[in-house]
Amino acid sequence: MTRISIEALYTGEGAGGKYGRGGIMGAVMTEIFTYGVPDGYDAKTWAELLLIKHTLLAAEQMKHEGDSISDMTDSEPSSFRTEG
């Protein structure tokens, strides 16, 4: 079981490298360069859809391998406040 930062997961650095060379962003760019952008989509929309696809694939693989995300909200304060 490994704790991986979100940055490492997206860039493929460190422990995030086990989820593909170049991480999630590398997988998105590889798919765009290999298959192009389908008719009816602009490049930005297609890249965003692929980002979602590869994030979900990585999340499923992480679940299967028992890995987890670290530092998800530790470095920034939450803007959520309760009143009471």
Side-chain angles (χ1 to χ4, degrees):
M1 183 182 319
T2 305
R3 290 183 58 85
I4 303 169
S5 73
I6 292 173
E7 181 180 4
L9 188 61
Y10 278 82
T11 62
E13 297 175 359
K18 75 187 221 180
Y19 293 98
R21 196 175 102 208
I24 291 171
M25 292 304 297
V28 168
M29 298 312 297
T30 298
E31 190 163 338
I32 288 173
F33 288 130
T34 302
Y35 301 109
V37 177
D39 292 338
Y41 291 93
D42 63 55
K44 182 180 178 192
T45 300
W46 188 244
E48 290 171 347
L49 290 170
L50 289 176
L51 185 62
I52 294 166
K53 170 189 170 182
H54 287 284
T55 299
L56 292 172
L57 289 170
E60 185 64 31
Q61 186 178 353
M62 289 179 75
K63 179 181 168 186
H64 176 71
E65 296 192 21
D67 293 337
S68 62
I69 296 292
S70 66
D71 300 322
M72 194 164 180
T73 58
D74 294 343
S75 63
E76 296 184 25
S78 173
S79 61
F80 178 75
R81 295 178 190 202
T82 58
E83 306 214 8

